[in-house]
Amino acid sequence: MTDELLANNTRYAENFTGPLPLPPAKHVAVVACMDARINVYGVLGLNEGEAHVIRNAGGVVTDDEIRSLAISQRLLGTTEIILIHHTDCGMLTFTDDEFKKSIQDDTGIKPGWAAEAFSDLEEDVRQSIARIRTSPFVPTKDSIRGFIFDVATGKLNEVV
Amino acid sequence: MTDELLANNTRYAENFTGPLPLPPAKHVAVVACMDARINVYGVLGLNEGEAHVIRNAGGVVTDDEIRSLAISQRLLGTTEIILIHHTDCGMLTFTDDEFKKSIQDDTGIKPGWAAEAFSDLEEDVRQSIARIRTSPFVPTKDSIRGFIFDVATGKLNEVV
């Protein structure tokens, strides 16, 4: 499958115009779930060069997202943060204990990290925002907004 | 700026057809830098629903990327991994010590995490692949390929 995607890249490069500047033009950083159905550039109407995009299983905020946001704001001038979780998320389908036990059963080794599963989408968006708000390493917190992407409609619904 | 992007979302949703299935149709997971100039769906010609996309500052592999890859492979059936670093990366412009010292000077607190800066793109792609290869938590390692995206040409160049 990788080779098929590389053939797509050859076509993409044919119409590519670059290079654009390194700092994101819209001064926005997005933290979204890795889910295949969330095309972040499409969902937000972003063009190349406009926003940092950070993604992981769940769209949660761990030390690595704080690291990325710290670099984004401190070195590359972003000032707004958009968090995106989504309906029908895989993270709603298991618990940390179950997942880590299954890995231990399979490999003999229990991960030292949290799986970050959750049972309530809105609560986890608020949890992710709270982790950013309490971090001393992310300096600009004036605009941190969280959304749930609806995989049936394509719409972002804000968590308030 | 966030409100402008939400207006874009309204237009995106007008032509949206869903929902698609949860597991990625192409069984691929991508780990890429958060850089604003890398539109992963565009670069690889991906459609919604085809691949997990994991992104962070540098496109590096830390515990959180291992967590995401473990969930991607063990629960959602992906089997191939594509790593994407890129030319003109911000991670080439500082060192961990400098960045952490600047945060300590600003906030009084030194981050407990590594900033994951690097001085050689190809070496860091290999480092990221090596971290996946040595992880017991990522079960399928038959297709792990690393690339450097050229921000001037839009092309992916493989690191061998």
Side-chain angles (χ1 to χ4, degrees):
Chain A
M1 198 58 74
T2 299
D3 284 318
E4 180 184 314
L5 299 179
L6 290 177
N8 293 345
N9 175 246
T10 302
R11 286 190 292 277
Y12 176 77
E14 281 167 9
N15 299 307
F16 188 84
T17 50
L20 291 164
L22 172 55
K26 291 199 185 293
H27 309 289
V28 170
V30 180
V31 180
C33 183
M34 70 179 180
D35 190 277
R37 297 164 294 183
I38 310 177
N39 171 357
V40 173
Y41 284 66
V43 166
L44 294 173
L46 288 168
N47 296 305
E48 280 82 344
E50 294 186 337
H52 281 147
V53 182
I54 300 158
R55 302 184 65 172
N56 62 57
V60 300
V61 173
T62 72
D63 273 355
D64 197 51
E65 288 66 46
I66 295 295
R67 176 185 71 85
S68 294
L69 289 169
I71 291 168
S72 177
Q73 290 199 351
R74 290 176 178 273
L75 301 181
L76 294 163
T78 66
T79 54
E80 297 182 40
I81 299 173
I82 296 173
L83 295 112
I84 303 178
H85 284 38
H86 65 96
T87 59
D88 192 36
C89 187
M91 305 299 282
L92 295 161
T93 65
F94 63 95
T95 67
D96 274 40
D97 285 351
E98 286 166 13
F99 184 64
K100 292 168 78 164
K101 177 72 161 59
S102 74
I103 291 179
Q104 187 172 1
D105 289 347
D106 181 33
T107 68
I109 302 168
K110 185 175 163 186
W113 32 262
E116 296 286 346
F118 46 79
S119 58
D120 184 308
L121 278 173
E122 297 208 355
E123 184 179 288
D124 199 75
V125 170
R126 289 190 203 99
Q127 174 64 217
S128 298
I129 292 173
R131 289 181 180 183
I132 297 172
R133 289 215 176 277
T134 57
S135 172
F137 308 129
V138 180
T140 306
K141 300 173 183 181
D142 303 326
S143 181
I144 305 174
R145 293 169 65 180
F147 301 86
I148 295 173
F149 176 77
D150 187 325
V151 299
T153 66
K155 289 200 70 167
L156 291 170
N157 296 302
E158 187 153 14
V159 177
V160 286
Chain B
M1 198 58 76
T2 300
D3 285 318
E4 181 183 314
L5 299 178
L6 290 176
N8 292 345
N9 177 247
T10 302
R11 285 191 293 279
Y12 176 77
E14 280 167 9
N15 299 306
F16 187 86
T17 51
L20 291 164
L22 173 54
K26 291 200 184 292
H27 309 291
V28 170
V30 180
V31 180
C33 184
M34 70 179 178
D35 190 278
R37 298 164 293 183
I38 309 177
N39 171 356
V40 172
Y41 284 66
V43 166
L44 294 173
L46 287 168
N47 296 306
E48 279 82 345
E50 295 186 337
H52 282 147
V53 182
I54 300 158
R55 302 184 65 171
N56 63 57
V60 301
V61 173
T62 72
D63 273 356
D64 196 53
E65 288 65 47
I66 294 296
R67 175 185 73 85
S68 294
L69 289 169
I71 291 168
S72 177
Q73 290 199 352
R74 290 177 178 273
L75 300 181
L76 294 163
T78 66
T79 54
E80 298 183 40
I81 300 173
I82 296 174
L83 295 110
I84 302 178
H85 284 37
H86 66 96
T87 58
D88 193 36
C89 186
M91 305 298 283
L92 295 161
T93 66
F94 63 95
T95 67
D96 274 39
D97 285 350
E98 287 165 13
F99 184 63
K100 291 169 78 163
K101 177 73 164 57
S102 73
I103 291 180
Q104 187 172 1
D105 289 345
D106 181 34
T107 67
I109 302 166
K110 184 175 163 185
W113 31 262
E116 296 285 346
F118 46 78
S119 58
D120 185 306
L121 279 172
E122 296 209 354
E123 185 180 286
D124 199 75
V125 171
R126 289 190 203 99
Q127 174 64 218
S128 298
I129 292 173
R131 288 181 182 183
I132 297 171
R133 288 215 177 277
T134 56
S135 172
F137 309 127
V138 180
T140 306
K141 301 175 184 183
D142 302 327
S143 180
I144 306 173
R145 292 169 66 180
F147 301 87
I148 294 173
F149 176 76
D150 187 325
V151 298
T153 66
K155 288 199 72 166
L156 290 170
N157 296 301
E158 187 154 14
V159 177
V160 286

